[in-house]
Structures are given as structure tokens and as C-alpha cells.
Amino acid sequence: MDKLFGKQLKYISLIILVLGVVLIISNSNYHIPSNNEGYQPEQPIKFSHQVHAGELKISCLYCHFGAEKSRHAGIPALSICMNCHKFVSASSDSLNLEEIQAEKEGRDIKTVISPEIAKIYTALGYDEQLQPSGEASKPVEWIKIHNLADYVFFSHQAHNNAGVNCNECHGEIETMEQVRQVSDLSMGWCLDCHREAGENFDTAPERTKLLSDCSTCHY
Ligand code: HEC
Ligand code: HEC
Ligand code: HEC
Ligand code: HEC
Ligand code: HEC
């Protein structure tokens, strides 16, 4: 009797374990390192690639200049944002709205400061007139979206030099209000492209063979 009960218990715990794993995998909030396709966290400042890279057509490399000469593309420092936001404190829509409102009310136009752009000023230790606020500066903690396991070697420079476009791996970033990881960054994903590098990019046949070697991506 005891033995039978023990066996049932084993089955029950196995079922609970399987259900648990299915639940974890199907719960999209569960963040599996490196394979988190579809990951789209909310960032501390509502920075839009659709506005900056899409509408304003700022080159990816203006902000992610690391991609040209290092492994990492990097996230730009706030000083890069200030090249423009020293002068641009709000969207043209809200500036136009204030102009119309001021004319209607017969008063001077007030400075409009977007709450999201104000976060850049606060982080740099400035007040809204761009004078030192007396508060210490404090970097914006952007959430890293793409994460490869430490045992994989990857370099942006190598791909950039070979003419592989950002979009091949990151999708249509210039249409995204909020960045989303579109590829699963799995080994199969890397290899699928590497095997066809000779056809799709001008990689020499002997180089193409090398691109599938374990030691190309693993130390
Ligand atoms: C061949 C695929 C591929 C291409 C092409 C590519 N990336 Fe990436 N990108 C990745 C991978 C993989 C990661 C994650 C790297 C890691 O965790 O070490 C990444 C990470 C990033 C990051 C996060 C910060 C960092 O440096 O790790 C940024 C920003 C980025 N890429 C921008 C770009 C831009 C801009 C371009 C085009 C100039 C580009 N990428 C081209 C695959 C690619
Ligand atoms: C080359 C110029 C330029 C650079 C560099 C730049 N921006 Fe902008 N940004 C603009 C312009 C212009 C607008 C207004 C677009 C519009 O009229 O809708 C804007 C809009 C914004 C907005 C939206 C404001 C609102 O309330 O609608 C935010 C937030 C923002 N930028 C953050 C940043 C951050 C963070 C950086 C640095 C990582 C940055 N920008 C770099 C030009 C720039
Ligand atoms: C004005 C500066 C600016 C420009 C231009 C810009 N980016 Fe970014 N990018 C950022 C900032 C700031 C972040 C971090 C916040 C976020 O995720 O939106 C970022 C994040 C990213 C990420 C996610 C990094 C991670 O954490 O894994 C990718 C991928 C990326 N950018 C690719 C691109 C590509 C491709 C282009 C050109 C089509 C581009 N960016 C243009 C500023 C910029
Ligand atoms: C969209 C296509 C594509 C994807 C996806 C891709 N690669 Fe590549 N990769 C290339 C091409 C093309 C080359 C350059 C071949 C040449 O030398 O001409 C390359 C070169 C490399 C190199 C060789 C660097 C050198 O010079 O020795 C490494 C390492 C590498 N890739 C790692 C990765 C890893 C890791 C991933 C997945 C996370 C990945 N790649 C995904 C196309 C891709
Ligand atoms: C083009 C790059 C690339 C090449 C070539 C490559 N790998 Fe990988 N490998 C990866 C990436 C990326 C991951 C991480 C996948 C993940 O996190 O899910 C990985 C993961 C692994 C893992 C961890 C287990 C797993 O499945 O996640 C092992 C083991 C492994 N690779 C062995 C190999 C062996 C053996 C070879 C040669 C036959 C090889 N790799 C060639 C990119 C590569």
C-alpha cells in the first residue's frame, strides 16, 4: 500500500513539474537569458527609434558608433542627446500647440519642456533652464535587451565590415517606438546565416567554411 502511494506521489510530482515548466515558458514575462525573442521592456526615458531613426533619419552609427570599430555597438551617452536637446526641449507638435494657445490668449509664448526630455536634464544635474540644479548627475539606467551568453564570441565590427545591415539581425528598428528583440540569438540562427554567407554577402568560399567552425564563435 505504502509502495503504491509512493509511486503515485512520484507521478503527481512529475506532472506538477511539467506543468510548472510549461507555465514558466508560456509566461512571456519570464526572461530567459539570450533566447528572449520578443523581449520589449519599457525604458526609463520614452526614447523612440521611430522618431529619431525613422522620421528624423539620424544614422544608426551617429549614436551606435561602436558598431563600426568594436565588438559592442554601445548605448550613447546623454551628451550625444544634448547635441540636439540643448535646443529641442519638446516635440514640434507641442511647440505649435503652445504658439496657437499663446496667440489666442494674447500672451507671450512660454517655454515648453517635454517631461521625457526633462529626464535628460535632471539626469545631467541641470534644471529646466539648463543651469546646474545642485543635484548630483545620475546616469539613465537603460535596460539591456539583447544578451548573448558569455561563452559566445560576437563582434559588431566584423559584421559591419562584411556589409551585414543592422536590420538583418535587429529588424526594422526605425519603425519601433520601443525596441523589441526580433531574433532568438540562438546558435541555429547564427549558423543559418553563416552557411549562406557566400551567397548573400561577398564572403570567399574558404571563409564561409570557417564561419561554421566551433572555434569561430566559442573560445
Ligand atoms: C549579425 C547580427 C547583428 C548585426 C548585423 C547587428 N547586430 Fe547589434 N546585436 C547583435 C547581437 C547578437 C547582440 C547582443 C550582443 C551581446 O550580448 O554581446 C547585439 C547587440 C546590440 C546592441 C546592444 C549593445 C551592445 O553593443 O551589445 C545595440 C545597441 C546594437 N546591437 C545595435 C546595432 C546596430 C546599430 C547595428 C548596425 C550598425 C547592429 N547592431 C548590427 C546582433 C547584430
Ligand atoms: C540629431 C538630433 C537629436 C538627437 C541626437 C536626439 N534627439 Fe531626441 N528629438 C529630436 C527632435 C527634433 C525631437 C522632436 C521630434 C518631434 O517634433 O516630434 C526629439 C524628440 C525626443 C523625445 C520626445 C519628446 C516628446 O515629448 O515627444 C524624447 C524623449 C527624446 N527626443 C529623447 C532623446 C534621447 C534620450 C536622445 C539621446 C539618446 C535623443 N533624444 C537624441 C532630436 C534629437
Ligand atoms: C539618437 C540616438 C539613436 C539612434 C539614431 C539610434 N539609436 Fe538605437 N538606441 C538608442 C538608445 C538611447 C537606446 C537604448 C534605449 C532603447 O532601447 O530604446 C538604443 C537601443 C538600441 C537597441 C537595443 C539595445 C539593447 O539593449 O539590446 C538596438 C538593437 C538599436 N538601438 C539599434 C539601432 C538601429 C539599428 C538604429 C538605426 C536604424 C538605431 N538604433 C538608431 C539610441 C539611438
Ligand atoms: C544575417 C547574417 C548573419 C548572422 C545572423 C550572423 N552572422 Fe556572423 N557573420 C556573417 C558574415 C557575412 C560574416 C563575415 C564573413 C566574412 O569574413 O566575409 C560573419 C562573421 C562572423 C564572425 C567572424 C569574425 C572574424 O572576422 O573572424 C563571428 C565570430 C561571427 N560572425 C559570429 C556570429 C554569431 C555568434 C552570430 C549569432 C549570435 C552571428 N555571427 C550571426 C553573417 C551573419
Ligand atoms: C556562428 C556562431 C556559432 C558557431 C559556429 C557555433 N556555435 Fe555553439 N552557440 C552559439 C550561440 C549563439 C549559442 C548560444 C545559444 C543560446 O544561448 O541558446 C551557442 C551555444 C552552444 C552550446 C550550449 C548549449 C546550447 O545548446 O545552448 C554548445 C554546447 C555549443 N554551442 C557547441 C558548439 C559546437 C560543438 C560547435 C561546432 C560544431 C558550435 N557550437 C558552433 C554560436 C555558435
Side-chain angles (χ1 to χ4, degrees):
M1 189 61 198
D2 252 11
K3 238 188 189 165
L4 191 66
F5 187 67
K7 209 170 173 189
Q8 274 175 340
L9 204 66
K10 231 195 236 158
Y11 278 124
I12 290 169
S13 34
L14 191 69
I15 289 168
I16 290 174
L17 185 77
V18 169
L19 281 178
V21 169
V22 168
L23 207 72
I24 287 170
I25 291 173
S26 60
N27 180 348
S28 57
N29 288 330
Y30 186 78
H31 173 177
I32 303 168
S34 144
N35 280 332
N36 47 352
E37 187 179 347
Y39 186 41
Q40 188 176 32
E42 199 164 306
Q43 297 288 358
I45 298 179
K46 278 207 183 72
F47 173 81
S48 163
H49 279 80
Q50 191 257 317
V51 168
H52 292 87
E55 284 170 34
L56 298 172
K57 298 198 162 49
I58 308 171
S59 149
C60 309
L61 291 172
Y62 180 83
C63 290
H64 301 294
F65 47 84
E68 231 170 359
K69 46 186 184 301
S70 74
R71 288 179 60 177
H72 295 288
I75 300 297
L78 292 180
S79 57
I80 304 270
C81 315
M82 286 301 273
N83 288 345
C84 297
H85 289 295
K86 218 185 313 175
F87 313 106
V88 180
S89 64
S91 71
S92 50
D93 280 356
S94 37
L95 294 175
N96 290 341
L97 212 69
E98 165 59 16
E99 217 169 289
I100 294 166
Q101 201 67 27
E103 196 172 329
K104 243 199 237 157
E105 295 170 12
R107 58 169 171 79
D108 286 345
I109 297 169
K110 284 186 276 192
T111 316
V112 187
I113 298 172
S114 143
E116 293 300 319
I117 291 174
K119 289 180 186 171
I120 303 175
Y121 303 157
T122 309
L124 288 167
Y126 296 142
D127 65 15
E128 301 199 327
Q129 272 70 52
L130 298 184
Q131 299 302 316
S133 64
E135 301 279 329
S137 59
K138 166 162 151 276
V140 173
E141 297 192 355
W142 302 108
I143 297 166
K144 194 165 189 321
I145 300 166
H146 300 74
N147 291 290
L148 268 185
D150 289 340
Y151 56 82
V152 182
F153 178 77
F154 179 82
S155 161
H156 275 89
Q157 185 186 21
H159 292 91
N160 192 62
N161 288 350
V164 187
N165 198 281
C166 314
N167 288 11
E168 302 264 3
C169 298
H170 294 299
E172 307 273 297
I173 294 274
E174 65 276 14
T175 65
M176 297 181 194
E177 280 285 349
Q178 210 175 314
V179 177
R180 185 170 47 86
Q181 181 177 317
V182 301
S183 310
D184 67 8
L185 310 189
S186 65
M187 178 160 137
W189 174 71
C190 312
L191 283 172
D192 278 350
C193 183
H194 278 195
R195 288 198 188 103
E196 290 176 4
E199 291 158 45
N200 299 330
F201 307 95
D202 29 82
T203 302
E206 62 281 5
R207 285 274 312 149
T208 304
K209 249 195 11 259
L210 205 74
L211 288 179
S212 299
D213 278 4
C214 315
S215 61
T216 299
C217 307
H218 297 294
Y219 298 101

